[in-house]
Amino acid sequence: MNRTVFVTGATRGIGRELVKQLAALGFHVFGTGRDEVRLEELKAETGCMGAGADLSDPEQVVDIYRQAKNALGQVDILINNAGLNNRKAAVVNIQLDDWEQQYAVNLRAPMLLSREALKDMAGRKSGHIVNVVSTIAKTSQPNYSTYCTMKYGLMGFTKCLIKEAREVNVKVTAVYPGGTDTDFRPEDRPEYLLPESAAKMIVHCITAPDDVVVHDLTYRPLVESNF
Ligand SMILES: NC(=O)c1ccc[n+]([C@@H]2O[C@H](COP(=O)([O-])OP(=O)(O)OC[C@H]3O[C@@H](n4cnc5c(N)ncnc54)[C@H](OP(=O)(O)O)[C@@H]3O)[C@@H](O)[C@H]2O)c1
């Protein structure tokens, strides 16, 4: 497996498991996150490449794509996985910073990275972009309006991207994981998906036969009934 993959949010949770699984399958992987210590540990453990970046800064977003491309030779597969829901709040209590941070990381960064990757992939008439959305984009929940809004935005962006990218033979997938037991929330949720399992479903999308594009994949732990 000589294909190259750029994974955001590689330092923890689903992204970390993705890097481990992809490296074990022989993909050449470049990972990013802010936590340089965890990134170095991951590089030592898996043999992946990587560099730190804060995806809330649009200049760092474009620059980390350039670094990934230089390190890998080219980015065959982009996985926009980084995301956060740092403060749940009722609409009346939302602070401007909540909107701005979540817009920057959950929506603007994957849009910018998709733009950069598609420019290159269109030239080669091949490639695959995977955007990690959430089952929240299929439902709604009090105190989740900021996260919900950004993930609905990412869903809409990805649906349009699917149509533009197919014109240049590039695959695009939106994955909609349900609750997964990662550092994403402060409390342990052992009844939720293991991060390994959530990652495995993404690997499944990018290892589908060449003549198959998975446009969207929704998966949940059995306990989840928000549909
Ligand atoms: N866990 C769930 O229940 C669940 C369900 C559905 C969808 N999702 C989605 O799945 C994706 C991964 O979530 P997870 O559960 O694996 O979360 P996680 O364990 O909290 O990991 C989030 C990752 O995103 C990175 N990240 C966050 N803010 C960043 C920033 N400003 N700049 C660069 N990287 C940043 C973190 O790296 P650093 O801290 O090193 O920066 C970390 O590697 C997210 O898009 C999330 O919305 C999660």
Side-chain angles (χ1 to χ4, degrees):
M1 191 70 66
N2 292 319
R3 285 191 295 164
T4 62
V5 193
F6 174 28
V7 181
T8 70
T11 50
R12 289 185 282 127
I14 298 170
R16 185 177 172 79
E17 291 302 324
L18 264 173
V19 173
K20 284 161 62 175
Q21 291 178 27
L22 290 168
L25 285 169
F27 285 88
H28 300 293
V29 186
F30 185 98
T32 190
R34 287 165 305 179
D35 188 331
E36 306 261 4
V37 174
R38 292 187 71 101
L39 206 50
E40 288 308 314
E41 285 169 3
L42 188 64
K43 284 158 78 172
E45 187 183 341
T46 66
C48 75
M49 295 178 279
D54 185 343
L55 298 182
S56 65
D57 173 354
E59 286 182 10
Q60 290 190 46
V61 174
V62 174
D63 188 62
I64 196 67
Y65 177 78
R66 186 191 53 76
Q67 289 185 54
K69 182 174 151 179
N70 288 344
L72 294 168
Q74 64 183 38
V75 176
D76 294 326
I77 302 165
L78 163 68
I79 307 181
N80 280 309
N81 164 74
L84 77 158
N85 185 16
N86 51 332
R87 213 172 76 86
K88 299 169 192 68
V91 171
V92 292
N93 294 324
I94 297 172
Q95 308 290 313
L96 190 56
D97 187 52
D98 298 338
W99 279 314
E100 290 184 342
Q101 179 73 4
Q102 286 215 35
Y103 164 63
V105 179
N106 291 347
L107 184 52
R108 185 175 64 198
M111 291 196 295
L112 278 170
L113 289 171
S114 297
R115 182 190 72 186
E116 295 306 299
L118 186 59
K119 283 189 226 169
D120 290 336
M121 292 173 179
R124 297 195 299 271
K125 293 227 171 354
S126 78
H128 195 162
I129 298 170
V130 179
N131 288 339
V132 179
V133 193
S134 165
T135 49
I136 196 77
K138 307 217 157 191
T139 178
S140 55
Q141 211 165 306
N143 303 321
Y144 273 69
S145 64
T146 306
Y147 183 64
C148 200
T149 299
M150 302 313 156
K151 291 295 188 179
Y152 267 78
L154 185 59
M155 174 174 68
F157 174 78
T158 309
K159 282 173 181 273
C160 297
L161 186 66
I162 285 172
K163 293 186 174 174
E164 291 189 22
R166 69 173 285 282
E167 300 291 336
V168 287
N169 202 44
V170 171
K171 296 182 181 182
V172 177
T173 303
V175 293
Y176 298 84
T180 307
D181 189 18
T182 65
D183 296 344
F184 185 76
R185 56 179 71 71
E187 67 278 13
D188 286 342
R189 298 302 295 262
E191 74 280 23
Y192 279 2
L193 298 173
L194 294 169
E196 297 92 304
S197 307
K200 197 168 182 182
M201 299 310 292
I202 298 170
V203 172
H204 171 69
C205 295
I206 61 179
T207 53
D210 283 350
D211 58 339
V212 174
V213 54
V214 180
H215 280 150
D216 46 67
L217 182 69
T218 303
Y219 51 99
R220 301 179 170 88
L222 267 171
V223 293
E224 197 170 298
S225 57
N226 61 356
F227 51 87

